[in-house]
Amino acid sequence: MFRKIIWRIFVWKKRRKLDRLKHLRGIKVYTVSGMEIGKVKEVYLKGYKVDSLKIKLKKEHKKSGIYLSYRCVKNARDIMIVDERVLEKIIQRTN
C-alpha cells in the first residue's frame, strides 16, 4: 500500500511541468545599495534552472514591470538583492 502511494506521487510529479517557482513569488527586490525596486511576480525556468524573473516595479518608477535575467541576482532569501546595473537600466528606460 505504501509503495503504491509513493509510486503515484512520483509518477504525478514526473509528468507535471513546472514553469515557475511559487515560493519565490512576492519577495521584495532591493539593489545592493538598499533601494527597493519592487516585488517578484513570476519566476521562469529553462530546463531545471531559474532563467528569469518578472518584477512588478514600485509606482515611482513609472513602469508596471520588467523581466530580469537571474544572472543579475546576488542573493535570494527573505529578500532578493540584485545588481546595481538593474536600477540604472530602469531609469534609462523611463526617461
Side-chain angles (χ1 to χ4, degrees):
M1 179 72 177
F2 184 71
R3 282 186 171 180
K4 285 184 180 181
I5 293 171
I6 297 293
W7 178 252
R8 286 182 184 171
I9 292 172
F10 178 76
V11 170
W12 179 75
K13 284 187 176 182
K14 191 173 182 181
R15 283 188 213 155
R16 189 173 169 202
K17 291 184 178 181
L18 296 175
D19 58 341
R20 47 181 105 60
L21 298 173
K22 290 186 177 183
H23 70 276
L24 287 178
R25 291 176 62 193
I27 293 179
K28 291 185 178 181
V29 180
Y30 292 89
T31 61
V32 176
S33 63
M35 184 174 175
E36 184 178 355
I37 296 176
K39 286 187 176 182
V40 176
K41 290 309 251 180
E42 297 288 333
V43 180
Y44 297 100
L45 302 177
K46 188 174 187 180
Y48 293 103
K49 296 181 181 182
V50 177
D51 183 51
S52 60
L53 305 166
K54 181 179 178 182
I55 297 176
K56 182 179 179 185
L57 298 175
K58 291 178 68 177
K59 292 181 181 178
E60 63 191 43
H61 295 297
K62 301 177 185 176
K63 282 185 91 176
S64 60
I66 59 167
Y67 288 96
L68 177 69
S69 175
Y70 195 69
R71 288 178 279 160
C72 297
V73 175
K74 298 290 183 184
N75 194 358
R77 297 261 178 176
D78 296 328
I79 61 170
M80 187 170 290
I81 300 173
V82 296
D83 197 12
E84 199 70 36
R85 291 177 286 171
V86 173
L87 183 62
E88 293 170 6
K89 289 180 183 178
I90 293 171
I91 293 170
Q92 285 176 359
R93 290 183 183 174
T94 55
N95 292 335

